[in-house]
Amino acid sequence: MTFTTLLSIDKLNTFYGRAHILHDVDLTVRAGEVRALLGRNGAGKSTMMKAIIGLVKPAGGSVRFAGKEITGHRSYRIASAGIGYVPEERRIFRDLSVMENLVVGTQAPRPDVPHWTPEKLFELFPNLGSMRDRPGGKMSGGEQQMLAIARTLMGNPSLLLLDEPSEGIAPKIIEEMAYAIQRVAQQGLTIIVSEQNLHFASLIATSATIIEKGAIRYVGTMTELKEHKGIQAEYLSV
């Protein structure tokens, strides 16, 4: 990567109507890093993801990607710049087959980032390879989540945003998905994963940021967080 810092967020503030959601949020993500954004339900994790990809317009602050200001840009421009976003709702095309979903997500290769093809993704997600002609609406929740990630990777992003990927997924599928994301990360892709599930996040992330009531409360390595039971109890326990 040309840039040591791939994503830089400075003093980000967002509102939903009169409700102040994110409060002066700062976040720095280095190229090749896998960072977990952790917090309870409603802490502001999804809002931060949406602010990065342009689905929520910031009321103040700055979002810079690969050295360029993207604050307030339209989502399609941000995606074209190299940010891939997998929303919590997945939003696959339910009437299209697995292969057709992948084709829809295709963008041109980018320099210095992995180039994904359907065959590479079928190696990464073997379940998808065995059902390439199956409509997305006739797949399990875990299979749909894998398809959503695979379709986003077909855009050859420099940065992958995963919003609550383990939500509502069977434990066996969670382990398979974690292994696949590990392999993606090993190829140098930068990843931010929003999660409530500390176990799942610890399988894939090396660094952690905790958000609570729209403000950053903790930044450190995943190893440090796993050893800090007090922080876990204060900000992550339900």
Side-chain angles (χ1 to χ4, degrees):
M1 282 289 180
T2 304
F3 299 92
T4 302
T5 298
L6 187 63
L7 182 76
S8 178
I9 297 174
D10 182 52
K11 304 299 181 194
L12 185 68
N13 286 268
T14 66
F15 289 79
Y16 288 145
R18 294 184 178 181
H20 196 171
I21 306 301
L22 297 181
H23 301 260
D24 290 331
V25 167
D26 296 329
L27 180 70
T28 300
V29 179
R30 301 183 306 275
E33 181 178 1
V34 181
R35 177 170 291 274
L37 181 62
L38 297 161
R40 297 185 182 96
N41 187 36
K45 304 185 302 298
S46 292
T47 300
M48 188 184 301
M49 292 284 199
K50 290 175 181 177
I52 294 170
I53 198 63
L55 293 174
V56 170
K57 186 175 181 180
S62 170
V63 181
R64 296 180 65 83
F65 172 66
K68 296 180 180 179
E69 189 76 37
I70 61 170
T71 313
H73 287 190
R74 301 289 293 272
S75 296
Y76 74 89
R77 290 184 58 192
I78 295 173
S80 295
I83 299 182
Y85 171 58
V86 181
E88 185 177 358
E89 305 86 4
R90 301 166 194 147
R91 295 182 188 169
I92 61 165
F93 296 101
R94 299 177 61 86
D95 293 333
L96 299 184
S97 69
V98 167
M99 182 63 80
E100 288 168 338
N101 268 274
L102 297 183
V103 170
V104 167
T106 303
Q107 290 190 46
R110 304 176 197 276
D112 303 321
V113 297
H115 174 213
W116 298 96
T117 65
E119 292 309 317
K120 286 183 180 179
L121 290 166
F122 292 149
E123 290 179 12
L124 192 66
F125 298 106
N127 288 14
L128 298 183
S130 65
M131 56 181 70
R132 60 186 71 195
D133 296 321
R134 183 173 301 180
K138 298 194 175 191
M139 302 167 69
S140 71
E143 291 161 351
Q144 289 181 3
Q145 184 65 277
M146 291 179 182
L147 178 56
I149 295 172
R151 184 187 63 188
T152 302
L153 289 174
M154 282 294 291
N156 299 309
S158 305
L159 170 64
L160 179 63
L161 307 178
L162 300 174
D163 193 4
E164 301 279 5
S166 74
E167 181 69 22
I169 305 301
K172 181 178 183 297
I173 299 295
I174 285 177
E175 298 292 331
E176 293 176 6
M177 190 159 53
Y179 177 65
I181 295 171
Q182 287 172 355
R183 292 176 62 192
V184 171
Q186 288 167 2
Q187 298 198 37
L189 185 61
T190 309
I191 301 172
I192 303 176
V193 55
S194 163
E195 266 296 337
Q196 295 183 62
N197 185 330
L198 178 59
H199 170 68
F200 176 78
S202 68
L203 293 175
I204 59 177
T206 54
S207 54
T209 295
I210 294 177
I211 186 169
E212 173 71 11
K213 295 181 179 178
I216 300 300
R217 306 297 186 185
Y218 173 89
V219 178
T221 68
M222 185 58 73
T223 300
E224 291 168 343
L225 177 58
K226 288 172 68 178
E227 295 173 351
H228 207 313
K229 302 303 181 184
I231 292 290
Q232 293 180 39
E234 185 171 1
Y235 295 119
L236 301 179
S237 62
V238 294

